[in-house]
C-alpha cells in the first residue's frame, strides 16, 4: 500500500494531531513501513494454525463461586443518612 504525504496530513487533521511540516516525510515513511509489515503478516498462510487464547498455555486459577460474606445491607442502611425502598438517597448535584 502506498502512503502519500497528503494522506498523512489529512489523517493528522482528522485525528486532530499536530505534525510539524518538516516531520511529515518521516511520519509517512514510518507509516509506510508499518503497513508493509502488516501486509507481510497478512500474506502468511495460517489456515492450519489453531487459534489460542494464550501463547504460554497458561491456565487461570478460578475461585469457587460461593457466598463468603453475610448480607449486611440492613445494617449498612441503618446508618445511612437517607434510605428509601432499599436504595440510598443522595443530594441532587446536577441541575
Amino acid at each position: 500500500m502506498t502512503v502519500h504525504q497528503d494522506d498523512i496530513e489529512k489523517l493528522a487533521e482528522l485525528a486532530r494531531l499536530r505534525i510539524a511540516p518538516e516531520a511529515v516525510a518521516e511520519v509517512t515513511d514510518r507509516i509506510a513501513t508499518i503497513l508493509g509489515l502488516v501486509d507481510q503478516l497478512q500474506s502468511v498462510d495460517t489456515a492450519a494454525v489453531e487459534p489460542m487464547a494464550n501463547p504460554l498455555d497458561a491456565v487461570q486459577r478460578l475461585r469457587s463461586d460461593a457466598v463468603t460474606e453475610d448480607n449486611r445491607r440492613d445494617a449498612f442502611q441503618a446508618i445511612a443518612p437517607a434510605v428509601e425502598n432499599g436504595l440510598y438517597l443522595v443530594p441532587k448535584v446536577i441541575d
Side-chain angles (χ1 to χ4, degrees), residues 3-95:
V3 180
H4 301 288
Q5 287 187 6
D6 56 334
D7 295 332
I8 298 302
E9 291 169 349
K10 181 66 175 174
L11 287 173
E13 179 185 340
L14 292 172
R16 306 284 195 253
L17 298 174
R18 186 179 317 135
I19 300 176
E22 61 272 5
V24 172
E26 180 184 349
V27 172
T28 303
D29 291 339
R30 286 184 177 184
I31 291 180
T33 302
I34 291 169
L35 292 176
L37 292 171
V38 170
D39 286 339
Q40 183 180 359
L41 287 172
Q42 288 181 340
S43 68
V44 175
D45 180 23
T46 59
V49 178
E50 183 179 339
M52 60 181 143
N54 188 319
L56 303 175
D57 290 330
V59 178
Q60 185 177 15
R61 290 179 284 152
L62 301 175
R63 63 175 174 81
S64 61
D65 189 17
V67 177
T68 58
E69 296 181 10
D70 296 334
N71 182 0
R72 301 188 331 191
R73 183 178 106 177
D74 294 332
F76 292 138
Q77 289 192 346
I79 60 173
V83 177
E84 183 178 304
N85 296 328
L87 302 173
Y88 295 97
L89 301 179
V90 296
K92 184 176 180 178
V93 294
I94 298 176
D95 289 328

